[in-house]
Amino acid sequence: MIKGYLDRIEDNQFAVILVEELKKEFIIPKEELPQGSKENSYFEITIESEKITSMKLDEQTTLSEQEKVDNMIHKLRSKSKGSKFKKNV
């Protein structure tokens, strides 16, 4: 089983799935996404003959990755106490 990541939806029609392990992106019709999928969702996928043959929403990975991002943003915001540059009004 390989992990895939829904990077974006293009033209409200096509889903761009990134597979870091293979360093590839796959473009599939949006309708083929599992129920509940949205940008930044992770999937367990099966690939055969250069095509995604099955996808399952991986909610656990999606949640843990989102927590990592939220923690990084929180750390960055708590370090930043405003600009070092003065505004000229």
Side-chain angles (χ1 to χ4, degrees):
M1 204 60 68
I2 296 176
K3 295 277 187 207
Y5 172 79
L6 177 53
D7 184 54
R8 63 192 179 278
I9 306 277
E10 292 186 340
D11 301 326
N12 204 27
Q13 296 179 54
F14 302 103
V16 179
I17 309 294
L18 302 181
V19 181
E20 196 171 311
E21 193 175 319
L22 301 175
K23 301 201 180 334
K24 286 189 169 197
E25 74 176 30
F26 295 85
I27 298 173
I28 63 169
K30 185 174 107 174
E31 297 79 41
E32 291 182 17
L33 289 172
Q35 182 96 20
S37 301
K38 56 185 186 267
E39 288 183 359
N40 305 323
S41 291
Y42 281 81
F43 306 97
E44 292 178 359
I45 61 176
T46 304
I47 297 171
E48 294 173 17
S49 303
E50 299 294 310
K51 289 190 182 261
I52 294 175
T53 56
S54 75
M55 291 179 78
K56 180 179 173 245
L57 190 57
D58 184 347
E59 294 179 31
Q60 189 60 47
T61 301
T62 300
L63 286 173
S64 67
E65 290 299 317
Q66 188 58 51
E67 278 181 22
K68 287 179 193 173
V69 170
D70 290 346
N71 287 338
M72 277 192 265
I73 289 171
H74 179 73
K75 284 179 185 174
L76 288 170
R77 286 187 177 150
S78 64
K79 284 182 181 178
S80 174
K81 297 293 181 200
S83 175
K84 293 177 184 166
F85 298 98
K86 292 182 181 171
K87 288 183 182 175
N88 289 331
V89 183

